[in-house]
Amino acid sequence: MSKVWQERVVYQIYPRSFQDTDGDGIGDIPGIILHLGDLKNLGVGILWLSPVYASPNDDNGYDISDYRSIQPEFGTMADMDRLIAEARRLDILLVMDLVINHTSDEHEWFRKSRDPHSSYRDYYIWRAGVDDGPPNNWTSFFTEKCWEFDPRSGEYYLHLFSKKQPDLNYRNPAVLNEIEEIMRFWLDKGIYGFRCDVINVIYKASLEDGERKFMLTGSEHYISRSGTHEILRRLRSDVLDHYDCFAVGETVFVTPKMARDLCGPDRRELDMVFSFEHMDTDQYFVKWFRRRFHAGRFGKVITRWQTELDWNANYLENHDQTRSVSRFGSDTAFWKESAKMLAVLLLSLRGTPFIYQGQEIGMTNFDFKTMDQIRDIESHYVYRLFRRLHMPKRICWRMIRLAGRDNARTPMQWNASENAGFSTGTPWLRVNGAAQNINFESQNMDPDSILHFYRQMIALRAQSPVLLNGSFRSIRNSRRLIAFEREWCGEKLTVLLSFSVTSQRVAGAGSVLISTAGRTEYSGVLAPYEGIILRTEMKT
Ligand code: ISL
């Protein structure tokens, strides 16, 4: 029997950019409450909130200074309790972001830890330098060195992300106990689980020098090491097993084999993982060097994960990725067609679908022109790095424009009014000029809109045993077409997805279950960017 988190569709909210209600230009929890009805109408069953905890906001909340309090910009704990209760009333479950690889350097534990004699010293990873330099040659996710010198104690601390995000020390049992208490605190409040941030890097197996690489030197010492598995099993048996909840891990650089070790049927660690391989198919080497999207490459990777894992956490967008319609479809001539076709893809794969805010109305990449419009810390680090390497400004900007995380973080486009109905104040990040044409209100009134199509597709999945439970078999992955079959109890669905700006002949039989082109019969020709699902009953 399938589980609740397998049946439902998850919607990710980036609270900062969702809906501001107090005019400070920053989205807030009352803003989320305001839209619960819209989310219910969409068919969403689970909400994942990017971090809402107290934070100095070096990395927009992924640097937590107090896990038990709410970021004042977002509201109060009373607002949060109200959100949990109102959501429950609508039968929507809430999932929190659990960021436990690191805390903020302003967290009380870290402040105390700066004192070498404090019992908190060992909560973090402190080491003496070597030959007047840092303890090893590792580099951070944000490209710079990942050790910061603390003059007061004469030692360095490790930070895999920014220097305001010191890594916790999971060799210290006290750290695990603290994290377990935090998880219980939130689960006792009635949340339904966690999205666990960079969870497969938490345990550092050694601090030896890493093999030199362009990015992330040292990562072989901490990616999916056995210590991480032990910690995850502890979190499962000590905490998660005692609640009705689930855990999805964000797992960087995982292979299907590593993923099976984290969430396979016989492993009692995570329920699902987010992998990145499909997101890497339009890049050379690292995401900053984008190459032309190729549906065949993309489809092959998706096929591999669908085949090698029993259950995937499927996503095409999140707050770290660029907008899927701009990236895998077309944000010009075939915007509507391709956004709908991508909805068919996401919602007809085997696994739990995750929709990122704005995806359901086909929001596109930002229209910014200069670096000073960018807020994302990663983009600024990377820009500086490439400038230091003497790359021309024009090329550096192009990289940020094509791959920067702010593409997904522009405020939600609710209507065509000033600031797109997101805020009456000055938005913390500029609203995309496309809001005039791409917004929730106009699509809510238009039965042919992307928003309506998402509603239909979500409802279809919820009612279709074959979409929920069926097996997956790839038919074709080519430059212009991704095609696969789902099968369950004598019923077969054939999913045909065009990635082409022209029509194409593709054989397919059966009755039309849904088509982005609104057709009721299929004659063997797919319209540009059409997505269609055909249904056949199989003779036994
Ligand atoms: O953004 C990335 C690639 O597109 C990644 O390098 C990203 O930093 C990585 O996937 C980890 O992401 C998570 O942890 C970070 C935080 O900045 C991200 O927003 C979060 O999703 C540190 O907590």
Side-chain angles (χ1 to χ4, degrees):
M1 213 184 71
S2 54
K3 311 238 172 49
V4 170
W5 50 265
Q6 294 181 308
E7 285 165 11
R8 296 191 176 201
V9 168
V10 187
Y11 185 92
Q12 182 195 351
I13 291 187
Y14 196 66
R16 218 179 164 68
S17 299
F18 193 61
Q19 175 74 70
D20 175 24
T21 57
D22 59 5
D24 65 355
I26 294 168
D28 46 42
I29 294 170
I32 300 174
I33 298 175
L34 202 67
H35 289 290
L36 283 177
D38 295 327
L39 296 167
K40 183 75 193 170
N41 283 341
L42 180 60
V44 164
I46 299 175
L47 283 186
W48 148 31
L49 301 187
S50 275
V52 291
Y53 317 92
S55 161
N57 264 328
D58 187 51
D59 187 16
N60 287 353
Y62 283 88
D63 48 321
I64 299 169
S65 52
D66 183 354
Y67 291 87
R68 289 185 178 81
S69 67
I70 297 293
Q71 171 74 351
E73 291 166 333
F74 292 162
T76 61
M77 190 57 90
D79 292 326
M80 190 63 201
D81 290 337
R82 195 156 62 86
L83 171 61
I84 297 171
E86 296 272 307
R88 281 264 173 184
R89 208 169 48 78
L90 295 172
D91 191 25
I92 295 177
L93 302 164
L94 271 195
V95 169
M96 305 275 286
D97 220 305
L98 190 70
V99 187
I100 56 169
N101 174 65
H102 44 268
T103 67
S104 161
D105 65 336
E106 295 180 36
H107 193 290
E108 189 198 353
W109 302 337
F110 191 75
R111 288 180 202 264
K112 291 183 175 157
S113 166
R114 285 187 186 272
D115 172 0
H117 306 294
S118 157
S119 56
Y120 286 88
R121 185 68 168 178
D122 245 9
Y123 271 44
Y124 295 87
I125 302 170
W126 290 95
R127 287 292 180 283
V130 175
D131 302 333
D132 289 338
N136 65 30
N137 66 351
W138 296 7
T139 53
S140 87
F141 276 73
F142 292 157
T143 71
E144 306 209 322
K145 59 188 168 112
C146 58
W147 292 95
E148 185 68 15
F149 185 66
D150 185 45
R152 183 169 152 201
S153 57
E155 286 193 319
Y156 291 78
Y157 65 85
L158 178 74
H159 58 90
L160 290 188
F161 292 86
S162 90
K163 66 178 181 202
K164 286 189 65 64
Q165 295 168 296
D167 280 46
L168 284 164
N169 174 18
Y170 280 91
R171 288 170 185 266
N172 179 355
V175 169
L176 195 61
N177 290 339
E178 298 267 15
I179 299 299
E180 292 189 343
E181 282 306 316
I182 290 165
M183 291 169 74
R184 288 189 193 103
F185 173 85
W186 285 103
L187 289 164
D188 287 339
K189 276 188 177 287
I191 69 151
Y192 183 63
F194 301 100
R195 174 267 187 188
C196 310
D197 191 62
V198 285
I199 200 68
N200 64 328
V201 308
I202 57 178
Y203 189 86
K204 282 68 181 176
S206 96
L207 292 179
E208 276 165 30
D209 274 350
E211 191 190 310
R212 254 180 206 294
K213 288 192 284 255
F214 180 62
M215 287 285 195
L216 282 181
T217 294
S219 57
E220 67 274 25
H221 294 296
Y222 54 77
I223 289 185
S224 295
R225 303 304 302 252
S226 60
T228 292
H229 292 292
E230 276 163 38
I231 292 164
L232 289 174
R233 281 198 285 273
R234 277 282 306 275
L235 295 182
R236 169 67 60 185
S237 58
D238 293 354
V239 185
L240 298 171
D241 271 352
H242 304 273
Y243 295 84
D244 176 21
C245 68
F246 83 103
V248 52
E250 185 210 26
T251 47
V252 288
F253 305 105
V254 278
T255 59
K257 154 89 178 72
M258 286 178 184
R260 279 198 304 273
D261 287 346
L262 289 158
C263 69
D266 50 342
R267 303 298 292 230
R268 298 188 62 258
E269 298 181 19
L270 299 161
D271 294 298
M272 299 179 266
V273 301
F274 289 120
S275 62
F276 286 84
E277 212 184 332
H278 63 306
M279 288 292 172
D280 297 344
T281 58
D282 61 348
Q283 69 190 33
Y284 294 107
F285 199 33
V286 290
K287 75 170 181 182
W288 306 104
F289 303 120
R290 284 282 203 241
R291 64 169 161 176
R292 221 184 138 88
F293 171 71
H294 187 291
R297 261 199 309 264
F298 188 58
K300 271 186 200 134
V301 170
I302 291 176
T303 298
R304 185 152 98 99
W305 283 81
Q306 288 281 306
T307 318
E308 294 193 26
L309 247 71
D310 179 56
W311 196 262
N312 281 272
N314 296 317
Y315 73 99
L316 300 177
E317 283 185 28
N318 63 36
H319 63 293
D320 293 333
Q321 302 291 335
T322 57
R323 290 289 183 180
S324 60
V325 68
S326 301
R327 183 172 180 186
F328 310 129
S330 143
D331 58 10
T332 51
F334 294 101
W335 164 73
K336 194 193 273 190
E337 291 80 352
S338 61
K340 290 183 182 179
M341 179 276 293
L342 291 169
V344 178
L345 169 64
L346 178 68
L347 288 147
S348 63
L349 290 171
R350 182 178 160 85
T352 302
F354 287 73
I355 297 172
Y356 177 65
Q357 69 181 43
Q359 185 177 348
E360 76 281 22
I361 54 168
M363 275 178 63
T364 49
N365 279 349
F366 65 54
D367 55 352
F368 301 167
K369 297 282 179 289
T370 56
M371 229 16 233
D372 58 7
Q373 295 172 316
I374 298 288
R375 296 284 165 269
D376 174 29
I377 181 180
E378 183 193 51
S379 293
H380 282 285
Y381 271 120
V382 166
Y383 188 85
R384 281 201 296 272
L385 169 75
F386 288 119
R387 287 295 293 145
R388 275 204 308 275
L389 298 173
H390 304 292
M391 259 193 210
K393 280 189 178 157
R394 188 176 44 86
I395 307 277
C396 295
W397 171 246
R398 198 181 130 78
M399 289 183 188
I400 303 300
R401 189 169 56 73
L402 289 180
R405 306 194 296 185
D406 277 352
N407 278 298
R409 298 178 180 182
T410 57
M412 180 70 186
Q413 294 158 204
W414 293 108
N415 56 45
S417 71
E418 210 194 335
N419 297 335
F422 162 69
S423 171
T424 53
T426 308
W428 72 277
L429 181 67
R430 267 193 44 196
V431 169
N432 194 325
Q436 284 299 314
N437 305 315
I438 303 175
N439 62 67
F440 176 88
E441 196 176 277
S442 62
Q443 293 195 29
N444 199 26
M445 291 182 304
D446 172 8
D448 185 42
S449 64
I450 298 168
L451 178 65
H452 269 277
F453 190 80
Y454 262 94
R455 287 181 186 145
Q456 277 172 31
M457 203 46 228
I458 292 171
L460 183 70
R461 178 182 182 275
Q463 289 149 16
S464 164
V466 59
L467 281 181
L468 290 174
N469 309 308
S471 61
F472 173 97
R473 195 177 74 85
S474 171
I475 305 176
R476 198 151 103 206
N477 292 306
S478 67
R479 194 169 58 79
R480 289 171 11 121
L481 183 76
I482 294 180
F484 54 86
E485 285 173 352
R486 303 287 313 275
E487 209 177 297
W488 177 255
C489 292
E491 187 182 349
K492 186 169 85 181
L493 302 184
T494 306
V495 182
L496 305 177
L497 305 160
S498 164
F499 286 80
S500 168
V501 295
T502 54
S503 301
Q504 56 180 315
R505 204 163 271 289
V506 181
S511 56
V512 175
L513 203 59
I514 196 165
S515 148
T516 57
R519 69 173 88 238
T520 50
E521 269 175 45
Y522 184 60
S523 58
V525 179
L526 281 182
Y529 281 109
E530 180 173 354
I532 193 167
I533 305 184
L534 302 170
R535 177 179 181 277
T536 42
E537 301 242 358
M538 292 182 318
K539 298 197 184 72
T540 42

